[in-house]
Amino acid sequence: MRVCLACGSTRIDEAWTCGDCGHRPATLDGYPAFAPDLAAENAGFRSEFFDELAALEARSWWFRARNDLIVWAATRFAPECDRFLEIGCGTGFVLGGIHAALPSAELWGSEIFSAGLAIAAERVPSARFIQMDARTIPFRDEFDVIGAFDVIEHIEEDEAVLREVNEALRPGGTLLLTVPQHPALWSPQDVHAGHVRRYTAAGLRRKVEAAGFEIVRAASFVSLLLPMMFASRLRMRGATNDPDFDAIDTLRQPRAVNVALEAVMTVERSLIRRGLSFPAGGSLLMVARKRPGRETQP
């Protein structure tokens, strides 16, 4: 159900008008905006990345491989999904993959930056989009699946986000997460991308469980390429304060490199699908289920 962020009422119509207090969210570029003050810029990400990301994603080994893993997890652990929300949908690249895999599901995308929503809507015109701060989600018991893919590492209050996600999921609903893993890999890439942390598997597990979830599957990925990734991060260490550092330069790879690295990731994904859990990897996938009748921990 929809929730009024002004008074907490659930008497909300299709136009998002509250039947109790009359509040209605602002509109930005045609989308309901629940955090309009944050829609243009904030410390967690640079909105000017969206246009170039939209051009790079479809041919980048990283985005293509991550998409394939996310789609596998969605169809494996939530094949009957009727309603799906992606938090931080960016340009809609992941949402497009979910639409192809679960064509009957009602898809929602949210993004704190309104600039990303128009690009996402072009990619997935059948989806519904809102501008939103993930720390205050205007839904309760609404979605079968909520995904946040390389999003919560940008947010200081990640535990508050996880609690909000729990509230917005239906009983037994599924959480899909991907995050950057291993604090030892921290580099200027993280700083300039707007990250506030890299996770450990144990640390993320504790936070997800404290928010009212039970873990269904956790899998490291970018594992076979981890030595290459570690070497790359070591080379970047001196560029933390470089104002000209380009956080998405690593995505601009020649076609031959993209093909080769994606082939390695295809092998890795095949092993994960067969149940192998790598002990380490540059990123972490976590699948969790909302515990019925359980209170979240403070």
Side-chain angles (χ1 to χ4, degrees), residues 56-92:
L56 288 172
E57 285 166 325
R59 59 178 184 268
S60 163
W61 69 271
W62 155 248
F63 283 105
R64 287 166 58 91
R66 188 190 63 164
N67 240 34
D68 287 343
L69 186 63
I70 290 167
V71 168
W72 165 77
T75 55
R76 168 67 177 82
F77 297 103
E80 305 302 321
C81 173
D82 290 324
R83 188 167 291 176
F84 181 104
L85 167 67
E86 183 183 359
I87 294 173
C89 66
T91 67

Side-chain angles (χ1 to χ4, degrees), residues 120-164:
E122 284 186 13
R123 272 185 161 153
V124 195
S126 61
R128 305 175 74 172
F129 294 94
I130 59 174
Q131 187 273 340
M132 179 189 88
D133 181 349
R135 298 169 296 184
T136 50
I137 300 176
F139 295 99
R140 292 294 180 267
D141 301 320
E142 179 76 10
F143 297 98
D144 300 298
V145 180
I146 296 180
F149 308 114
D150 292 270
V151 170
I152 64 172
E153 68 273 11
H154 295 271
I155 303 171
E156 289 282 359
E157 306 89 342
D158 57 342
E159 292 167 283
V161 173
L162 292 170
R163 290 193 295 269
E164 284 288 295

Side-chain angles (χ1 to χ4, degrees), residues 90-276:
T91 67
F93 187 64
V94 175
L95 211 57
I98 296 294
H99 174 64
L102 300 170
S104 63
E106 178 183 322
L107 303 183
W108 286 71
S110 75
E111 176 57 57
I112 198 165
F113 295 111
S114 56
L117 293 174
I119 301 171
E122 284 186 13
R123 272 185 161 153
V124 195
S126 61
R128 305 175 74 172
F129 294 94
I130 59 174
Q131 187 273 340
M132 179 189 88
D133 181 349
R135 298 169 296 184
T136 50
I137 300 176
F139 295 99
R140 292 294 180 267
D141 301 320
E142 179 76 10
F143 297 98
D144 300 298
V145 180
I146 296 180
F149 308 114
D150 292 270
V151 170
I152 64 172
E153 68 273 11
H154 295 271
I155 303 171
E156 289 282 359
E157 306 89 342
D158 57 342
E159 292 167 283
V161 173
L162 292 170
R163 290 193 295 269
E164 284 288 295
V165 169
N166 186 277
E167 292 289 333
L169 281 167
R170 293 170 175 168
T174 300
L175 165 67
L176 300 176
L177 283 176
T178 61
V179 297
Q181 191 175 211
H182 303 313
L185 287 172
W186 185 265
S187 76
Q189 181 77 22
D190 296 282
V191 175
H192 291 275
H195 295 175
V196 296
R197 70 184 67 79
R198 297 185 73 91
Y199 288 86
T200 65
L204 183 61
R205 177 183 291 270
R206 283 193 297 270
K207 290 183 177 186
V208 170
E209 289 178 339
F213 294 94
E214 58 183 4
I215 309 301
V216 176
R217 180 74 197 274
S220 296
F221 64 104
V222 196
S223 299
L224 300 178
L225 296 173
L226 186 58
M228 183 189 75
M229 184 177 180
F230 187 72
S232 170
R233 295 301 186 267
L234 281 177
R235 288 197 300 270
M236 295 178 186
R237 288 282 164 88
T240 299
N241 298 314
D242 182 357
D244 297 322
F245 184 87
D246 187 347
I248 61 175
D249 184 59
T250 56
L251 300 177
R252 303 185 191 99
Q253 300 291 343
R255 183 177 182 278
V257 172
N258 273 311
V259 169
L261 296 181
E262 188 175 358
V264 174
M265 293 296 294
T266 298
V267 172
E268 182 175 290
R269 185 176 67 256
S270 177
L271 295 172
I272 291 171
R273 291 178 62 175
R274 286 169 168 78
L276 180 65

